[in-house]
């Protein structure tokens, strides 16, 4: 399975990616996670990414396209992968197509997890992530067993710095302007599969499996 998962910020891409990765046994490649890891490691790229991420803007294409191409060239992507959060604009989509064609790779599907804007700010502002293992929770919709503590590994949960209301609103605007046109782009390629992301966690995953059959 060679898949992309797309959707507005907070739509549930990362949450469903965990299910998809396990079910199809493919690596989950999230550009947001890669940038956060680089920030944590304090690399030059991490520092650069930070300045864009904290404003809710896109990290420049030169940087982003490069790290995705490097990652897709690794051995574990040979038989499949799930790209999450990339591409996010037309230039990235075209660069990806060029890379895939050059390497004889064909995408099986582009999953669009569709959720209306009105639901999303609440999802982002309430999101909590494990500092250690990256597991994602929500203060209302997906509570950990113990407040502020990860069920998986017992580490503290934190709020992402870009999950404030103001930045969340800005990220939704960036999505509408730069990422939304990709839906048409992949529709024209005949590989776009839309699922309703405004349902229970399990139902969304059921729908994903159904459209991928
Ligand atoms: P994305 O990767 O698209 O930004 P996440 O998977 O991190 O989104 O989900 C954003 C927040 O919404 C998280 O706190 C997550 O627990 C919560 N969430 C995800 N899916 C659902 C759902 N179907 N219903 C309610 N909340 C959800
Ligand atoms: P969400 O889906 O909730 O917006 P992500 O983790 O996918 O969260 O992205 C967080 C931030 O990382 C984005 O707001 C952006 O600054 C940066 N980012 C992630 N993916 C890309 C990309 N493909 N191009 C440019 N910037 C990106
Ligand atoms: Zn954890």
């Amino acid at each position: 399975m060679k898949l992309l998962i797309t959707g507005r910020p907070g739509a549930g891409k990362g949450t469903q990616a965990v299910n998809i990765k396990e079910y199809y046994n493919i690596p989950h490649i999230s550009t947001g996670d890669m940038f956060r890891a680089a920030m944590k490691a304090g690399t030059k790229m991490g520092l650069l990414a930070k300045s864009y991420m904290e404003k809710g803007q896109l990290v420049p294409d030169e940087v982003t396209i490069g790290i995705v191409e490097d990652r897709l060239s690794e051995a574990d992507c040979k038989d499949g992968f799930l790209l999450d959060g990339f591409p996010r604009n037309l230039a990235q989509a075209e660069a990806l197509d060029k890379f895939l064609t050059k390497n004889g790779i064909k995408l099986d599907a582009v999953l669009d997890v569709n959720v209306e804007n009105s639901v999303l700010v609440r999802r982002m502002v309430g999101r909590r992530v494990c500092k250690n293992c990256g597991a994602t929770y929500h203060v209302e919709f997906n509570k950990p067993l113990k407040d502020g503590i990860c069920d998986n590994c017992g580490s503290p949960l934190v709020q992402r710095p870009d999950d404030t209301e103001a930045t969340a609103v800005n990220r939704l605007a960036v999505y509408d302007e730069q990422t939304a046109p990709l839906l048409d782009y992949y529709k024209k390629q005949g590989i776009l599969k839309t699922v309703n992301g405004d349902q229970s966690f399990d139902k969304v995953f059921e729908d994903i499996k159904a459209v991928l059959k």
Side-chain angles (χ1 to χ4, degrees):
M1 273 288 188
K2 290 160 184 138
L3 303 173
L4 303 189
I5 187 162
T6 184
R8 293 190 174 91
K13 301 180 295 294
T15 300
Q16 295 303 330
V18 173
N19 296 330
I20 296 167
K21 168 197 159 114
E22 264 174 34
Y23 189 78
Y24 293 103
N25 195 23
I26 49 177
H28 170 211
I29 302 170
S30 154
T31 41
D33 286 351
M34 286 162 93
F35 289 137
R36 279 183 290 274
M39 267 163 63
K40 205 169 158 186
T43 66
K44 217 171 117 188
M45 192 258 279
L47 264 165
L48 175 94
K50 184 169 186 265
S51 63
Y52 292 90
M53 288 171 85
E54 62 193 11
K55 290 183 237 142
Q57 293 168 354
L58 296 187
V59 178
D61 291 343
E62 306 86 80
V63 179
T64 309
I65 292 167
I67 63 166
V68 171
E69 292 187 352
D70 287 351
R71 182 65 187 85
L72 287 177
S73 303
E74 286 177 34
D76 65 333
C77 293
K78 211 170 63 64
D79 297 322
F81 53 80
L82 171 64
L83 255 181
D84 166 7
F86 182 94
R88 254 176 154 98
N89 62 26
L90 226 46
Q92 291 181 6
E94 284 165 2
L96 177 65
D97 270 346
K98 219 168 129 189
F99 174 86
L100 295 175
T101 306
K102 198 175 89 188
N103 290 281
I105 303 167
K106 226 178 133 279
L107 290 177
D108 292 299
V110 175
L111 276 171
D112 173 36
V113 183
N114 188 262
V115 180
E116 290 308 314
N117 272 350
S118 55
V119 183
L120 290 171
V121 173
R122 191 160 161 205
R123 280 206 190 171
M124 283 185 266
V125 172
R127 170 163 47 192
R128 296 294 181 270
V129 290
C130 174
K131 258 179 110 153
N132 176 46
C133 75
T136 300
Y137 299 85
H138 193 280
V139 294
E140 291 173 83
F141 310 134
N142 183 24
K143 293 186 185 174
L145 296 172
K146 227 176 121 195
D147 252 7
I149 301 291
C150 178
D151 294 349
N152 292 343
C153 74
S155 300
L157 303 181
V158 295
Q159 186 172 21
R160 267 170 49 178
D162 60 343
D163 276 341
T164 58
E165 179 151 354
T167 312
V169 168
N170 195 36
R171 281 153 62 204
L172 290 171
V174 168
Y175 175 91
D176 283 334
E177 193 190 305
Q178 304 199 46
T179 313
L182 296 184
L183 298 181
D184 239 15
Y185 181 88
Y186 288 116
K187 202 170 173 182
K188 282 192 185 124
Q189 293 190 7
I191 52 174
L192 184 73
K193 313 270 181 199
T194 301
V195 297
N196 176 8
D198 193 8
Q199 311 181 85
S200 73
F201 289 71
D202 291 348
K203 182 67 169 68
V204 177
F205 186 47
E206 288 306 315
D207 286 4
I208 288 175
K209 283 186 290 190
V211 297
L212 290 180
K213 266 228 176 86

